[in-house]
Amino acid sequence: METQPLSTVKKPLRIMKFGGTSLGDATRIRKAVEIIRDAAREGEVVVVVSAMSGVTNRLIEAAKQAKSGNREAVDAIFEELRDRHCEAVSALIHSVEMRSRISRDLRLVFEEGERLCQGTILLRELTERVQDSISSLGERLSAPLVAATLAECRVRSETVEATQVVVTDDCHGSADPLMDSTRQRCESCLRPLLRRGVVPVVTGFIGATREGVRTTLGRGGSDYSATILGAALDAHEVIIWTDVDGLMTADPRLVPGATTITEISYREAAELAHFGAKVLHPKTLRPVSHCGIPLWIRNTFAPERPGTRVTPTGPTTNGGVKGLTAISDVALITVGGPGIVGVPDVLGRTFATTAAVRANVLLISQSSSQNDICLVVSSSAAERTVEALRREFAQDLVHEKVEHITLDPTVAIVTVVGKNMRGSGTVGRTFAALGKGNVNIIAIAQGSSECNISFVVKEQDVKFALDATHREFQLGVLDSRAIPVQSVAVGPSAWRYESEPRTASAD
Ligand code: ADP
Ligand code: ASP
Ligand code: MG
């Protein structure tokens, strides 16, 4: 048998993202660093980091307080964040030289944050740009900390600001990547580091426009950063390291019997993420869906467990229900009345209005008599959407063609996700399960993709709805096709994917 000379064997490249929960304190950062160190022995690694847990929330609070002119509150938040990071530095970095370097780097980031807040206090105005600059400070604090801890463990590493590599549009707060430019930047900035055996530690969540203006990818966006870099560098795999054993059949905080899904398709994982599985940012699957790069979700605190493997088509054998999700911070808007049948283009006008106010419509349902249109939007967009709809239909309301435009903020969406669910009685079984607990289903929507069925229920019924549906579809029964772990530190080896077909990556 012919063997390849060692020097020509391409080392696997892994993108490893560590979420805030994996970087919550010095002990957790040490765990993450051990995983990176072991992976760096086997191949090339690009690390993507979130802010330490809770830090982004505090920064957003600081920005809000600055806008209201509350200088003391801002100072208190910065003091608290400074203490937390200093504590981590003291516990993790022992070399005097390294400690003074990292302390200086962190001080510069804190000073920039304080200047941004002072400007906001003076102007009493918080622009989207400034909001992005303040909310992204946490990643700029955690990345040097992780890089320095790696250096202490004799792993060559360098902090890389994502503004240098992730080029985005200018949609502040939920920017999307411009992949051609991002690819070029990754080749010129990250590839040389990898060739020199250096582990780049990239700030997640952040990007910059072509003009260099800082943007963010949306809350929880470091997952998205990881797959953007994975696609741009044509990585062998992307691993999302988090605080649970993988993508689970339901949020384990709501359904204690939830189990880890061994393998799932991109499509199903994307549906779970879209409908509220917080473990993945809703757009995480987008960059890799063109190029077939496997994505893993694994537990930083139990790296010996295999986690979930997300692949283009998922396991070949099973269709049916894979998981459940719920989103509670939503509101139901109803545009209705018997007269709306006669109102021209009521659907078109409704959705032109939601688009104009940039409301993300999560679910739509219309009664066949066309008497009611129900739409579910995120709570944050609810008030402005209803106001805009009332303006749009003002004349029709006066003439009672549209009888009511109502808002119910006390609802939630429960979604059942799976493959080939049509004809499998999923709707009937879910109805029956919910009926046993007298849960009232307010609206229902099924995508033509057969991948999801969503139910709108009262918020107080969510836990029962999830528990009952989880039991009905026996999702608590552990998947017997568990993938064996090949390496304790980084789990299933990337080498296996070398032979898997890849299609050319597209923008
Ligand atoms: P990280 O800090 O690693 O980004 P997140 O808090 O953003 O972590 O996401 C992990 C959390 O997502 C878990 O602790 C879990 O409670 C929640 N979660 C919600 N739905 C799911 C699901 N279906 N599978 C796994 N975790 C889920
Ligand atoms: N730190 C950011 C947030 O809290 C991004 C992330 O955690 O992925 O939203
Ligand atoms: Mg997250």
Side-chain angles (χ1 to χ4, degrees):
M1 201 176 74
E2 247 180 48
T3 50
Q4 257 184 313
L6 258 179
S7 56
T8 66
V9 175
K10 200 166 167 262
K11 281 186 172 181
L13 166 60
R14 293 189 177 99
I15 313 294
M16 307 220 298
K17 177 258 169 175
F18 291 86
T21 50
S22 301
L23 305 172
D25 56 29
T27 315
R28 288 177 173 223
I29 293 176
R30 220 174 269 125
K31 268 261 176 218
V33 161
E34 278 166 22
I35 291 170
I36 301 166
R37 184 195 57 201
D38 292 348
R41 287 189 186 130
E42 283 184 30
E44 295 176 336
V45 180
V46 172
V47 173
V48 175
V49 291
S50 297
M52 291 173 81
S53 62
V55 167
T56 313
N57 286 349
R58 298 300 286 148
L59 289 166
I60 290 171
E61 179 62 24
K64 196 173 132 203
Q65 294 294 344
K67 191 181 172 192
S68 342
N70 196 344
R71 193 181 295 270
E72 276 171 20
V74 173
D75 289 347
I77 292 172
F78 273 87
E79 198 54 41
E80 166 202 322
L81 294 180
R82 204 178 270 114
D83 285 351
R84 198 164 154 203
H85 286 84
C86 285
E87 212 172 282
V89 169
S90 309
L92 291 166
I93 314 295
H94 300 110
S95 131
V96 176
E97 192 200 329
M98 182 82 75
R99 198 184 274 193
S100 82
R101 194 174 342 141
I102 174 95
S103 301
R104 189 206 55 212
D105 289 352
L106 299 195
R107 193 178 62 241
L108 292 176
V109 177
F110 276 118
E111 283 170 5
E112 189 181 325
E114 280 166 331
R115 275 199 305 277
L116 286 162
C117 286
Q118 275 157 15
T120 308
I121 291 171
L122 276 178
L123 297 170
R124 294 280 210 280
E125 190 194 3
L126 183 62
T127 63
E128 288 179 325
R129 276 187 184 204
V130 173
Q131 168 90 33
D132 271 355
S133 293
I134 296 175
S135 63
S136 60
L137 291 166
E139 276 70 12
R140 296 172 62 204
L141 295 165
S142 61
L145 189 54
V146 170
T149 313
L150 279 164
E152 284 251 320
C153 298
R154 300 187 191 291
V155 179
R156 294 176 65 205
S157 65
E158 220 169 90
T159 308
V160 176
E161 288 261 10
T163 43
Q164 303 301 309
V165 286
V166 178
V167 184
T168 71
D169 59 22
D170 61 359
C171 190
H172 287 278
S174 58
D176 281 309
L178 304 175
M179 282 308 283
D180 280 340
S181 310
T182 300
R183 214 169 270 129
Q184 282 166 14
R185 296 278 190 93
C186 284
E187 284 305 324
S188 61
C189 183
L190 295 179
R191 197 74 78 184
L193 291 177
L194 292 169
R195 287 208 187 97
R196 285 184 4 233
V198 173
V199 173
V201 180
V202 185
T203 49
F205 181 51
I206 306 175
T209 62
R210 281 189 215 284
E211 295 71 36
V213 178
R214 193 181 297 280
T215 55
T216 60
L217 309 179
R219 292 307 308 270
S222 304
D223 304 322
Y224 193 23
S225 308
T227 49
I228 291 169
L229 294 182
L233 287 163
D234 197 22
H236 289 77
E237 58 186 10
V238 176
I239 309 177
I240 306 287
W241 291 96
T242 185
D243 65 342
V244 285
D245 282 347
L247 190 54
M248 306 186 72
T249 49
D251 184 343
R253 285 174 302 191
L254 295 174
V255 182
T259 54
T260 304
I261 299 169
T262 307
E263 185 173 350
I264 192 165
S265 66
Y266 281 171
R267 182 64 198 258
E268 292 164 298
E271 298 279 356
L272 286 170
H274 178 77
F275 284 105
K278 186 178 176 244
V279 68
L280 286 181
H281 181 275
K283 294 182 192 162
T284 309
L285 273 305
R286 273 193 205 174
V288 289
S289 63
H290 297 297
C291 43
I293 299 170
L295 174 82
W296 291 88
I297 299 132
R298 305 192 53 196
N299 192 340
T300 309
F301 311 106
E304 69 285 1
R305 298 191 195 140
T308 299
R309 174 169 125 132
V310 189
T311 55
T313 52
T316 45
T317 45
N318 58 343
V321 175
K322 285 282 175 50
L324 312 173
T325 56
I327 318 182
S328 291
D329 50 350
V330 293
L332 175 77
I333 296 173
T334 309
V335 178
I340 70 166
V341 183
V343 179
D345 196 20
V346 68
L347 273 181
R349 286 165 63 194
T350 300
F351 293 109
T353 307
T354 58
V357 294
R358 286 177 65 181
N360 183 15
V361 180
L362 295 157
L363 180 147
I364 304 159
S365 161
Q366 186 184 16
S367 59
S368 60
S369 63
Q370 298 182 3
N371 281 351
D372 275 309
I373 302 164
C374 300
L375 37 133
V376 179
V377 298
S378 56
S379 302
S380 58
E383 289 289 343
R384 69 171 190 271
T385 308
V386 167
E387 279 164 20
L389 284 168
R390 288 191 179 136
R391 275 196 305 275
E392 171 63 32
F393 289 104
Q395 286 302 316
D396 306 285
L397 284 163
V398 169
H399 297 115
E400 293 180 0
K401 286 186 171 171
V402 175
E403 270 179 12
H404 58 259
I405 296 177
T406 55
L407 174 67
D408 182 351
T410 64
V411 300
I413 304 178
V414 171
T415 302
V416 178
V417 173
K419 221 190 215 173
N420 306 328
M421 292 193 302
R422 194 184 292 161
S424 57
T426 311
V427 175
R429 286 173 69 183
T430 312
F431 266 121
L434 298 189
K436 280 179 209 154
N438 290 329
V439 173
N440 183 27
I441 297 173
I442 301 165
I444 170 167
Q446 178 171 16
S448 61
S449 64
E450 307 174 41
C451 273
N452 71 67
I453 303 167
S454 295
F455 302 86
V456 179
V457 297
K458 280 284 178 196
E459 203 176 349
Q460 77 241 21
D461 290 334
V462 165
K463 183 146 170 48
F464 178 89
L466 287 173
D467 270 336
T469 321
H470 203 261
R471 262 197 314 278
E472 173 61 34
F473 294 104
Q474 298 185 349
L475 296 175
V477 178
L478 271 173
D479 195 336
S480 57
R481 292 163 295 104
I483 298 173
V485 180
Q486 297 179 356
S487 134
V488 167
V490 287
S493 162
W495 297 99
R496 291 193 297 162
Y497 308 117
E498 287 284 43
S499 58
E500 280 187 1
R502 295 265 185 90
T503 51
S505 50
D507 253 0

